[in-house]
């Protein structure tokens, strides 16, 4: 099954050696955490009634939720006292309402955290409820609420659950370490998803540059009749859901559609572990593995970080930023977001903190398009990026829409290969925003 | 952590390939060196003079036009040098230097800079410059009179009076062997002396992934098939005249060829058909140059026709959720 390869894509320098062999270590509990009320795609949360400045909270205590279905509740990640509720810097750019908790250092877990019962006896409905209450979202970075993907509309029959262990973004090794260190939890989480969805089988897709992870997972699933591990060609963006589903199941997700349209649901390996923790121990999502890496980091490592920990505190734990750091990115180098300051919290979707130095960041002058077609050849969803960018530049957004701009998921292959260094993704993003605006009217 | 840092916050992706326009153009220049060296070996001072004149004219023309249009000079991107070398290779060694210079001036100044600069020219600049002199031959004959005193006589070379193989073929003369034609035969334009040297350069461009097989293979394939149908020896057609440089270097010019894969194949086949029509049907010289330029004009149309189909294209199906992220 691993023989099929998707069209397009690139082979960037991966730089994973910086952290690939480093076991995940738990970061020391920060003095304070700032927990944004929006860390997922969907409706933002509201603080619970009892939550106000001065309230004492414990780890795992639910502090905010939303009545909307596409949303995920938020839990305290340290024990201590709430010192502020108000807008705070957010990795997505705009300040977002956040709850600041000053840690009391006692690390007390909330009394409500207990195993919900024998996992074997849980009904699909109960699994979904546990996942929802645990505030689990897609940990690969997209942060879509996990319980929503486990609740497909009844007319959509799901038969395959695909677990994403591709980790195709350069530099990042968080998923790699999770696969090496928590294979049992990944497979258990997958089995819970299969049960919740009434699916038939599961596939764990891993890029073939992580042979050790492939081996560990293959051993883990050896006894499982309906779960396989697929070795995937190492090529970016192998972990993009459409590409991953194509190579692991042979199915093509329709344009503008969702994996469930072809009977597939996919989740990240980290999400699978979070689901296991919730189902077995009742533990909500209060921490996650973050790869702190790049030439600008003094001591690159994989850290288990509490949600809400300030990036500046994480950097301090890693020996701080080097003087020649020019870019601080949350996420990977291909799709991550550059930050103006490290004064932002780690959120549920933060898979990496990347510090790039002058050598890594290409700041060449932009040249005109020479129509070399490299962007066309490397686009994994068969777009003509330079044509869309040109349409956007001339504010011809109808034309951009006809060129399927909305199918772009901003993987960045086009801008990576462009010899003219045209910011193609940026132009396409402008086109997408304008098209969305026009279509809303 | 109180260090004051000024962090850059530009859009993703945050890493980019090392490939630049200058590198790519320099690679094209490098790929032309083998044939350039072979032509110098055969034509010596004549070839050196023609090439030097074209390179210098190309650079001067670019600087002049960009200055007139208040644009920054871009000599560092190698594109003027590449165009200059291309023009030189399209002429015979004995061409008066001012004729080659005039063609270069038209190529860089009119076909490229006046069209908007690199990336905006619809026609291959070098071919445009070369063909302009063919089309404007009567006018040039007049202009030629002024330049006559500037002619430089470099003495005679045996080889340069030779008829081109295509002319020999038409005249029914005894042809040199295919092997000789392929490795090196001193007749015709500088670029026509050695298909082997061109192929070595083309191999370099393939290796560097600057060109794909689609255009050259569809041009040459079409010529082979059609000349066979016409009852001629296709090998002679391929190794003589401008087909080699046309198929591998001119038609594959990024700016003036389609960027869709299907479009490249259609473009190549049409060029192949035109070449055979010009060569076998109309007995016109410069058939390759005309064929490529004609098809250059159709590139936007070909691209519209072969616009890529959507990934996962389906017939109208209701999509349950508006949000397609996961």
């Amino acid at each position: 099954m691993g023989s099929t390869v998707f069209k397009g894509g690139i082979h960037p320098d991966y730089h994973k050696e910086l952290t690939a062999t480093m076991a995940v270590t738990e970061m020391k509990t920060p003095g304070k955490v700032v927990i944004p009320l929006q860390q997922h795609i969907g409706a933002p949360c509201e603080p619970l009634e009892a939550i106000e400045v001065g309230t004492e909270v414990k780890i795992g205590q639910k502090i905010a939720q939303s009545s909307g279905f596409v949303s995920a509740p938020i839990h305290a990640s340290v024990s201590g006292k709430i010192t502020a509720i108000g807008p705070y810097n957010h990795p997505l750019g705009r300040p977002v309402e956040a709850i600041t908790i000053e840690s009391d250092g006692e690390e007390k877990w909330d009394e409500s955290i207990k195993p919900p019962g024998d996992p074997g006896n849980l009904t699909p409905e109960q699994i979904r409820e546990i996942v929802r209450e645990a505030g689990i979202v897609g940990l690969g970075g997209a942060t879509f609420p996990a319980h929503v993907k486990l609740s497909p509309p009844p007319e959509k029959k799901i038969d395959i659950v695909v677990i994403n262990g591709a980790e195709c973004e350069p530099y990042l090794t968080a998923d790699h370490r999770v696969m090496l260190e928590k294979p049992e939890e990944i497979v258990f989480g997958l089995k819970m998803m299969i049960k919740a969805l009434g699916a038939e089988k599961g596939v764990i897709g891993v890029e073939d540059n992580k042979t050790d992870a492939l081996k560990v997972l293959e051993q883990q699933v050896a006894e499982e009749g309906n779960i396989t591990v697929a070795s995937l060609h190492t090529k970016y963006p192998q972990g993009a859901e459409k590409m991953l589903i194509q190579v692991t199941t042979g199915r093509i997700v329709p344009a503008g559609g969702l994996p469930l349209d072809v009977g597939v649901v996919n989740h990240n390996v980290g999400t699978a572990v979070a689901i296991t923790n919730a189902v077995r121990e009742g533990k909500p999502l209060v921490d996650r593995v973050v790869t702190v890496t790049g030439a600008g980091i003094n001591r690159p490592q994989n850290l288990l970080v509490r949600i809400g920990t300030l990036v500046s505190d994480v950097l301090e734990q890693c020996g701080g930023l080097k003087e020649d750091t020019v870019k601080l990115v949350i996420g990977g180098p291909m799709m991550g977001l550059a930050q103006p300051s490290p004064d932002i919290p780690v959120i549920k979707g933060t898979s990496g903190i990347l510090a790039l130095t002058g050598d890594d960041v290409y700041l060449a002058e932009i040249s005109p398009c020479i129509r070399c077609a490299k962007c066309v050849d490397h686009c994994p969803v068969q777009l003509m990026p330079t044509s869309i960018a040109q349409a956007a530049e001339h504010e011809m957004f109808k034309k951009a829409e006809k060129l399927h701009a909305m199918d772009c998921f901003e993987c960045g292959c086009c801008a990576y290969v462009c010899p003219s260094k045209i910011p193609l993704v940026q132009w396409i993003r402008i086109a997408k925003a304008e098209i969305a605006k026009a279509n809303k009217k | 952590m109180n260090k004051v840092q000024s962090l850059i916050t530009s859009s993703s992706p945050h890493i980019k390939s090392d490939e630049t326009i200058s590198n790519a153009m320099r690679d094209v220049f490098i790929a032309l060196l083998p044939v350039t060296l072979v032509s110098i070996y055969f034509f010596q001072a004549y070839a050196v003079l023609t090439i030097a004149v074209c390179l210098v004219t190309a650079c001067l023309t670019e600087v002049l036009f960009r200055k007139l249009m208040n644009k920054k000079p871009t000599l560092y991107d190698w594109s003027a040098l590449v165009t200059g070398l291309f023009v030189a290779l399209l002429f015979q060694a004995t061409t008066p230097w001012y004729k080659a210079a005039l063609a270069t001036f038209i190529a860089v100044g009119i076909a490229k800079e006046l069209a908007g600069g690199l990336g905006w020219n619809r026609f291959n600049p070098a071919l445009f410059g070369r063909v302009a002199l063919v089309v404007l031959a009567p006018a040039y004959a007049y202009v030629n009179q002024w330049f006559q005193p500037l002619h430089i006589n470099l003495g005679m070379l045996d080889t340069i009076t030779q008829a081109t193989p295509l002319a020999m073929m038409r005249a029914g003369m005894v042809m040199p062997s295919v092997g000789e034609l392929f490795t090196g035969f001193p007749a015709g334009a500088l670029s026509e002396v050695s298909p082997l040297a061109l192929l070595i350069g083309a191999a370099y461009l393939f290796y560097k992934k600057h060109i794909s097989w689609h255009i050259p293979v569809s041009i040459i394939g079409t010529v082979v098939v059609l000349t066979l149908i016409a009852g001629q020896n296709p090998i002679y057609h391929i190794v003589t005249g401008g087909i080699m440089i046309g198929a591998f270097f001119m038609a594959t010019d990024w700016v003036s060829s389609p960027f869709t894969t299907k479009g490249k194949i259609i473009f190549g086949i049409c060029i192949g058909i035109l070449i055979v029509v010009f060569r076998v049907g109309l007995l016109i010289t410069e058939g390759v140059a005309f064929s490529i330029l004609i098809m250059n004009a159709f590139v936007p149309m070909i691209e519209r026709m072969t616009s890529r189909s959507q990934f996962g294209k389906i017939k109208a199906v209701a999509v349950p959720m508006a949000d397609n992220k996961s």
Side-chain angles (χ1 to χ4, degrees):
Chain A
M1 214 180 266
S3 63
T4 42
V5 177
F6 69 91
K7 275 191 204 161
I10 56 170
H11 298 279
D13 289 336
Y14 285 98
H15 298 290
K16 296 201 188 236
E17 68 289 346
L18 287 170
T19 51
T21 57
M22 303 175 98
V24 176
T25 50
E26 189 168 351
M27 183 185 158
K28 69 175 185 351
T29 313
K32 73 166 183 185
V33 291
V34 180
I35 306 180
L37 299 184
Q38 174 118 45
Q39 303 183 37
H40 49 262
I41 289 175
C45 292
E46 298 281 337
L48 298 183
E49 252 174 58
I51 298 297
E52 49 196 37
V53 174
T55 312
E56 297 275 345
V57 292
K58 290 174 185 168
I59 306 176
Q61 185 180 338
K62 199 202 283 183
I63 52 176
Q65 67 178 9
S66 154
S67 54
F69 178 66
V70 182
S71 186
I74 281 158
H75 303 80
S77 57
V78 294
S79 64
K81 192 195 271 183
I82 293 177
T83 56
I85 301 178
Y88 203 89
N89 299 340
H90 190 280
L92 289 183
R94 283 193 206 101
V96 164
E97 285 290 312
I99 297 176
T100 304
I101 307 171
E102 209 85 53
S103 168
D104 58 12
E106 292 184 19
E107 298 286 86
K108 275 180 298 200
W109 281 79
D110 193 52
E111 294 76 23
S112 68
I113 310 294
K114 52 176 187 287
D118 181 4
N121 294 335
L122 294 172
T123 63
E125 196 44 58
Q126 284 170 318
I127 295 172
R128 282 197 282 270
E129 191 51 34
I130 291 167
V131 170
R132 177 177 184 168
E133 277 304 303
I136 298 171
V137 301
L139 296 187
T143 67
F144 194 78
H147 69 94
V148 180
K149 288 213 278 188
L150 295 180
S151 320
E155 72 274 12
K156 301 280 180 191
K157 171 76 188 121
I158 304 298
D159 60 342
I160 305 182
V161 179
V162 176
I163 296 294
N164 188 350
E167 200 166 50
C168 57
E169 271 271 8
Y171 288 98
L172 303 188
T173 56
D175 289 352
H176 186 181
R177 292 312 307 180
V178 167
M179 289 188 280
L180 286 175
E181 296 170 29
K182 310 259 180 197
E184 196 272 333
E185 285 89 337
I186 292 170
V187 174
F188 183 84
L190 170 55
K191 286 199 272 190
M192 287 298 111
M193 297 178 207
I194 291 175
K195 189 168 179 185
L197 289 160
E200 284 152 27
K201 55 183 180 175
V203 187
I204 307 173
V206 183
E207 275 191 347
D208 58 12
N209 60 354
K210 295 178 263 290
T211 42
D212 47 355
L214 278 165
K215 213 159 132 194
V216 167
L217 286 168
E218 264 157 19
Q219 279 165 5
Q220 193 65 45
V221 302
E223 304 289 304
E224 312 286 343
N226 62 340
I227 297 177
T228 50
V229 176
S231 167
L232 313 174
H233 183 63
T234 299
K235 179 160 83 166
Y236 178 86
Q238 183 65 79
E241 77 180 9
K242 290 185 179 186
M243 279 70 247
L244 181 72
I245 290 169
Q246 183 187 349
V247 297
T248 52
T249 68
R251 298 175 191 180
I252 302 281
V253 178
L258 291 167
L260 53 83
D261 294 324
V262 290
V264 177
V265 161
N266 71 319
H267 279 285
N268 172 267
V269 285
T271 316
V273 173
I275 289 176
T276 298
N277 291 340
V279 169
R280 278 186 182 157
E281 297 154 34
K283 202 183 142 195
L285 186 63
V286 294
D287 53 22
R288 68 155 296 141
V289 180
V290 179
T291 303
V292 189
T293 186
I297 301 282
N298 276 310
R299 291 196 304 273
Q301 50 199 297
N302 298 298
L303 281 176
L304 184 67
V305 181
R306 302 288 171 93
I307 303 298
T309 306
L310 292 178
V311 168
S312 50
D313 289 339
V314 179
L315 292 173
E316 206 170 84
Q317 169 104 2
C318 300
L321 284 179
K322 288 186 194 162
E323 293 277 343
D324 54 349
T325 301
V326 294
K327 228 178 194 186
L328 181 69
V329 177
I330 295 299
M334 292 302 294
M335 291 184 74
L337 284 165
Q339 303 294 331
S341 140
D343 186 23
I344 41 163
V346 166
I347 61 169
K348 292 173 180 177
T350 306
S351 49
I353 299 171
L354 176 64
L356 296 170
T357 57
D359 295 340
D360 309 314
V361 181
Y362 202 96
L363 290 170
E365 217 168 299
I366 297 166
S367 309
C369 173
I370 52 165
R371 300 169 31 88
C372 68
K374 285 194 159 77
C375 60
V376 180
D377 294 338
H378 289 86
C379 176
V381 282
Q382 298 179 31
L383 300 174
M384 301 195 284
T386 184
S387 305
I388 301 174
Q390 223 164 62
E393 209 175 335
H394 294 107
E395 300 185 1
M396 294 156 74
F397 300 115
K398 278 265 173 271
K399 187 178 172 196
E401 191 176 7
K402 272 193 196 136
L403 289 163
H404 312 303
M406 296 311 271
D407 287 357
C408 170
F409 62 96
E410 301 169 19
C411 68
C413 289
C414 53
Y416 177 87
V417 296
C418 179
S420 297
K421 310 299 166 194
I422 299 168
L424 293 161
V425 177
Q426 208 171 346
W427 281 119
I428 298 173
R429 241 183 240 140
I430 291 169
K432 284 168 71 175
E434 291 292 331
I435 294 166
K437 217 196 283 172
N439 289 350
K440 239 176 215 162
K441 279 176 195 161
Chain B
M1 256 320 298
N2 293 324
K3 233 183 291 163
V4 181
Q5 308 254 3
S6 69
L7 295 168
I8 301 166
T9 51
S10 57
S11 160
S12 65
H14 306 292
I15 50 172
K16 297 197 170 154
S17 64
D18 300 331
E19 190 73 88
T20 60
I21 288 191
S22 315
N23 291 349
M25 287 290 173
R26 193 194 53 214
D27 283 342
V28 175
F29 196 88
I30 292 170
L32 287 172
L33 288 181
V35 76
T36 305
L37 293 177
V38 175
S39 71
I40 291 174
Y41 167 78
F42 281 128
F43 303 121
Q44 297 162 22
Y46 277 98
V48 172
L49 176 70
T50 307
I51 291 165
V53 162
C54 289
L55 292 179
V56 171
T57 312
C59 292
L60 291 178
T61 310
E62 188 189 286
V63 171
L64 173 72
F65 272 78
R66 291 191 80 88
K67 193 155 185 80
L68 289 177
M69 293 189 284
N70 272 326
K71 291 178 183 171
K72 272 188 283 178
T74 49
L75 285 180
Y76 62 85
D77 71 13
W78 286 77
S79 90
L81 289 170
V82 167
T83 306
L85 185 56
F86 266 127
V87 176
L89 293 175
L90 292 175
F91 279 105
Q92 297 196 359
T94 45
T95 304
W97 66 267
Y98 45 83
K99 186 174 179 184
L102 187 59
T104 310
F105 178 82
I106 294 172
V108 175
I110 295 171
K112 186 143 80 194
E113 292 304 333
L114 279 190
L118 179 66
W120 293 100
N121 47 294
R122 172 143 311 165
F123 299 99
N124 181 312
L127 288 178
F128 189 93
R130 176 75 185 86
V131 165
L133 285 196
V134 176
V135 175
L136 302 174
Y140 172 74
Y142 181 66
V143 172
N144 199 14
Q145 318 240 312
W146 313 335
F147 287 113
Q148 207 74 62
L150 298 174
H151 190 72
I152 298 172
N153 197 338
L154 292 168
M156 287 302 281
L157 279 171
D158 303 340
T159 48
I160 55 179
T161 50
Q162 211 160 345
T164 66
L166 268 182
M168 291 161 78
M169 187 156 68
R170 281 183 192 134
M173 288 161 68
V174 179
M175 294 289 290
S177 76
V178 170
E180 203 180 337
L181 285 173
F182 182 71
T183 50
F185 182 76
L190 298 184
S191 61
E192 293 169 19
V193 292
S194 172
L196 177 65
L198 285 171
L199 280 181
I200 291 169
Y204 178 71
L205 291 184
F206 275 113
Y207 167 73
K208 285 280 191 170
K209 297 199 172 132
H210 292 315
I211 58 175
S212 65
W213 60 269
H214 305 89
I215 292 175
V217 168
S218 44
I219 292 178
I220 293 173
T222 307
V223 170
V224 168
V225 170
L226 292 183
T227 46
L228 274 177
I229 292 172
Q232 302 200 353
N233 183 347
I235 306 291
Y236 276 115
H237 275 283
I238 291 166
V239 296
T240 59
I243 288 193
M244 279 291 177
I245 192 164
F248 286 99
F249 290 89
M250 297 295 193
T252 55
D253 171 36
W254 303 302
V255 179
S256 54
S257 66
F259 56 44
T260 56
T261 307
K262 267 186 237 161
K264 284 177 181 159
I265 294 172
I266 294 174
F267 181 72
I269 292 175
C270 292
I271 290 173
I273 294 171
L274 287 175
I275 289 174
V276 177
V277 168
F278 281 125
R279 276 198 180 177
V280 180
L282 303 172
L283 299 176
I284 288 175
T285 55
E286 311 296 341
V288 174
F290 280 118
S291 306
I292 295 173
L293 284 174
I294 289 170
M295 289 317 296
N296 283 162
F298 286 97
V299 166
M301 201 176 126
I302 294 174
E303 269 172 12
R304 265 201 304 280
M305 277 162 49
T306 57
S307 179
R308 303 184 87 184
S309 71
Q310 214 174 354
F311 181 91
K313 188 180 176 178
I314 41 159
K315 283 163 211 136
V317 167
V319 176
M321 272 183 244
D323 207 327
N324 68 349
K325 282 194 125 171
S326 64

